[in-house]
Amino acid sequence: MANARVGIVYYSLYGHVRKLAEAVVEGLDVAGCTAELLQVPEILSPEALKRLGAPSKAPDKVAQVADLKGYDGLLFGSPTRFGMIAGPLKRFMDSMGHTHFDDTPLVKIPRSLWKEEGLSGKPAGGFVSTGTQGGGQETTLLSLQIMLTHHGMMFVPLGYTTPLLNNMDEVHGASAWGPGCYAGPEGARVPSDLEKDIARHYGWKFGSIAAKLKQAKKVNDNG
């Protein structure tokens, strides 16, 4: 099976999404994929982050739109803001459709990841963190899917592919749309072992699909 490269584009203010991302990476590793964590640029000022009590950012590579075409699949992680993805991730994804210009000696050539269909046909998915139950675990991933559809990407949900999702013995995040965790009203709750196990399973599932699609493309390209 082909070794697929998966980029995990995320925003994490307090670290909950980052912890889920780590579990997803573990699942991708089991599937034989190469994963890279890519954090989107922060839009809050250092003063605002200090007032909010946000911890220091992880030493992950900063996501660049120009690099996304190099991945065989993309996953997006975000905390929920009123049932939708957070502003920093939305801003980054908006920039995926911006036109920029490659200068040549004779003419400026317009370029756009969206216009060039640079992500069309690639698998994609997501995972989330909400403060409470009913805080937007499903709607946030639905809002993400709308953007991915405009890029022609294939949304890969978690589905009910693991009995862990049906666990009724404890409160936990995640849905058929994708992995998730609850941060609590004050952000003091960390992702539980169950939530991380679900995220690992999703990483494995997504990675298996991404690898199969890459292998199929390779066979098709070779005739």
Side-chain angles (χ1 to χ4, degrees), residues 7-104:
I8 302 178
V9 182
Y10 77 93
Y11 175 70
S12 188
L13 181 60
Y14 292 108
H16 300 85
V17 172
R18 177 61 166 68
K19 290 184 183 300
L20 276 186
E22 291 174 352
V24 171
V25 168
E26 292 174 4
L28 287 166
D29 183 63
V30 173
C33 295
T34 300
E36 186 171 15
L37 292 172
L38 308 166
Q39 57 183 329
V40 300
E42 180 60 78
I43 64 175
L44 297 175
S45 68
E47 294 76 16
L49 292 172
K50 184 176 180 179
R51 289 197 299 270
L52 290 170
S56 300
K57 296 293 183 182
D60 298 324
K61 180 180 177 181
V62 176
Q64 302 290 334
V65 171
D67 296 336
L68 299 185
K69 287 177 64 175
Y71 294 97
D72 300 302
L74 292 171
L75 289 169
F76 297 86
S78 177
T80 290
R81 297 293 183 266
F82 301 108
M84 296 179 286
I85 60 175
L89 181 59
K90 176 64 163 62
R91 183 185 186 188
F92 177 81
M93 296 189 74
D94 283 347
S95 72
M96 291 160 64
H98 291 173
T99 299
H100 63 277
F101 294 89
D102 289 342
D103 291 329
T104 70

Side-chain angles (χ1 to χ4, degrees), residues 143-167:
S143 71
L144 175 66
Q145 184 183 9
I146 294 171
M147 301 187 74
L148 300 177
T149 298
H150 279 261
H151 283 279
M153 303 191 80
M154 298 181 290
F155 185 75
V156 180
L158 171 62
Y160 285 91
T161 57
T162 171
L164 296 173
L165 196 59
N166 299 321
N167 187 311

Side-chain angles (χ1 to χ4, degrees), residues 162-223:
T162 171
L164 296 173
L165 196 59
N166 299 321
N167 187 311
M168 298 293 288
D169 296 328
E170 62 178 271
V171 173
H172 65 86
S175 70
W177 292 83
C181 70
Y182 293 130
E186 305 300 326
R189 183 182 183 274
V190 298
S192 68
D193 289 340
L194 176 58
E195 290 167 336
K196 288 186 287 187
D197 284 343
I198 293 173
R200 290 187 189 95
H201 170 81
Y202 180 67
W204 167 80
K205 178 193 174 184
F206 185 90
S208 299
I209 292 173
K212 290 177 182 176
L213 287 172
K214 179 175 183 179
Q215 180 63 26
K217 183 178 184 302
K218 180 179 180 181
V219 172
N220 183 67
D221 291 345
N222 292 336

